[in-house]
């Protein structure tokens, strides 16, 4: 059984951090409706969805992915790369403590969950805007003894590793080649985003059921479908203005004991 931890959209979402996109007005009511549709898509793909209440004082708290890296054995609470996001993790840690042993990234390491792409026993960690070498070294220190191969991958022109590459099938990755070197991912089948859909590489694979993908990138969606991947398009336009998309709004984990 898969669980998905989510948090409702903060009233202050418009005050979010932005790094690589320009600030545009955000309609929070619409963002909440889109988030509800996203939760429904998670449910339709087989997840039991946990909904945490919004944290209105923390604009980016809806992007729960960034505060924890969860594998079957443990959960590593991160230390996000921007100061404004360092208090978001506490309530998520409280949930995760019920099903995983917790580890913590300590100062002066920084790590955002959006930079961590796990494919089976391989863990790729983006080193860029938010995650530093110390954070990667600490994560590796937690995961390597459990049998995970941890590899740093430099990112460019994008917020997180998973802005540039995500898993969309057992051995298939969706990639934006302008933001990441494909060499690190040799051995996987790579599907490139449509050249006109720059931000389309962030898809969320749920088990073997399919991927949640932003509805505003239909050409990339078609490429995925042609590649045999079941795509569930969800309109996430308001959350995308906050530089988030599909992976960042949930932490998906196997229920412990399975
Ligand atoms: C931030 O800059 O931290 C947020 N506005 C967006 C975080 C998105 N997180 C993700 O894609 N993992």
């Amino acid at each position: 059984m898969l669980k998905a931890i989510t948090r409702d959209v903060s009233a202050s979402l418009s005050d979010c951090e932005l790094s690589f996109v320009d600030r545009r007005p955000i309609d929070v009511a619409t963002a909440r409706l889109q988030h509800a549709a996203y939760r429904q898509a998670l449910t339709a793909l087989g997840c039991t969805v946990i909904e945490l209440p919004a944290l209105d004082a923390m604009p980016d708290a809806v992007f729960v992915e960034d505060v924890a890296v969860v594998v079957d054995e443990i959960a590593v609470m991160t230390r996000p790369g921007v100061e404004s996001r360092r208090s978001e993790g506490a309530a998520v840690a409280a949930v995760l403590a019920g099903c995983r042993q917790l580890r913590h990234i300590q100062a002066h390491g920084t790590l955002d969950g959006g930079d961590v792409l796990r494919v089976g026993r391989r863990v790729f960690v983006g080193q860029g805007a938010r995650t530093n070498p110390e954070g990667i070294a600490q994560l590796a220190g937690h995961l390597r003894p459990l049998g995970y191969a941890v590899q740093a991958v430099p990112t460019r022109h994008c917020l997180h590793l998973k802005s540039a590459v995500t898993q969309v099938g057992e051995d298939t990755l969706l990639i934006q080649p302008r933001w990441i070197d494909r060499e690190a991912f040799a051995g996987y089948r790579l599907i490139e985003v449509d050249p006109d859909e720059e931000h389309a590489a962030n898809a969320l694979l749920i088990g073997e059921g399919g991927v949640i993908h932003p509805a505003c990138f239909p050409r990339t969606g078609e490429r995925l479908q042609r590649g045999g991947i079941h795509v569930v398009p969800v309109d996430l336009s308001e959350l995308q203005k906050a530089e988030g998309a599909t992976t960042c709004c949930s932490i998906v984990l196997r229920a412990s004991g399975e």
Side-chain angles (χ1 to χ4, degrees):
M1 191 186 93
L2 293 174
K3 282 199 260 191
I5 300 173
T6 66
R7 177 184 295 292
D8 205 355
V9 175
S10 162
S12 59
L13 178 64
S14 301
D15 298 326
C16 63
E17 296 283 344
L18 290 178
S19 302
F20 293 90
V21 302
D22 294 332
R23 197 168 293 278
R24 289 180 289 157
I26 296 178
D27 181 335
V28 173
T30 302
R32 288 196 171 126
L33 291 174
Q34 292 176 346
H35 193 259
Y38 171 85
R39 293 194 307 263
Q40 279 172 10
L42 286 169
T43 303
L45 286 167
C47 293
T48 300
V49 177
I50 298 168
E51 287 179 49
L52 300 175
L55 290 173
D56 286 335
M58 297 181 200
D60 283 307
V62 62
F63 302 122
V64 286
E65 167 179 62
D66 291 318
V67 303
V69 174
V70 183
V71 293
D72 288 348
E73 299 85 352
I74 58 170
V76 181
M77 300 310 301
T78 68
R79 184 167 178 273
V82 285
E83 178 75 41
S84 69
R85 302 199 56 195
R86 299 229 171 110
S87 309
E88 292 174 19
V92 175
V95 174
L96 288 170
C99 57
R100 295 289 190 280
Q101 286 193 13
L102 300 188
R103 305 282 187 270
H104 297 270
I105 301 296
Q106 311 285 354
H108 295 285
T110 63
L111 182 80
D112 276 16
D115 273 318
V116 181
L117 172 66
R118 184 184 64 78
V119 186
R121 304 304 285 187
R122 295 185 71 182
V123 179
F124 300 93
V125 192
Q127 184 182 317
R130 298 284 174 88
T131 293
N132 68 14
E134 171 63 22
I136 298 174
Q138 289 186 30
L139 181 71
H142 294 304
L143 296 183
R144 282 190 180 131
L146 300 170
Y148 292 92
V150 179
Q151 181 180 343
V153 187
T155 58
R156 54 180 181 266
H157 312 311
C158 63
L159 181 59
H160 289 128
L161 177 70
K162 279 188 278 191
S163 314
V165 58
T166 52
Q167 185 182 18
V168 292
E170 191 181 353
D171 293 310
T172 306
L173 307 178
L174 176 63
I175 187 166
Q176 165 50 283
R178 298 216 296 266
W179 295 347
I180 195 96
D181 290 331
R182 36 170 71 244
E183 284 67 31
F185 307 102
Y188 294 101
R189 175 170 73 130
L190 299 181
I191 298 177
E192 289 189 10
V193 297
D194 183 279
D196 291 336
E197 297 180 343
E198 188 180 31
H199 290 270
N202 186 262
L204 175 61
L205 175 67
I206 302 295
E208 290 157 19
V211 300
I212 299 177
H213 191 249
C216 63
F217 301 128
R219 293 179 178 195
T220 301
E222 278 170 32
R223 286 184 179 211
L224 292 170
Q225 299 269 21
R226 281 201 300 274
I229 291 151
H230 173 55
V231 178
V232 180
V234 178
D235 183 358
L236 295 168
S237 60
E238 299 310 298
L239 293 158
Q240 287 171 288
K241 291 178 189 170
E243 217 167 351
T246 64
T247 63
C248 54
C249 293
S250 59
I251 300 170
V252 179
L253 56 143
R254 260 198 287 262
S256 44
E258 290 184 18

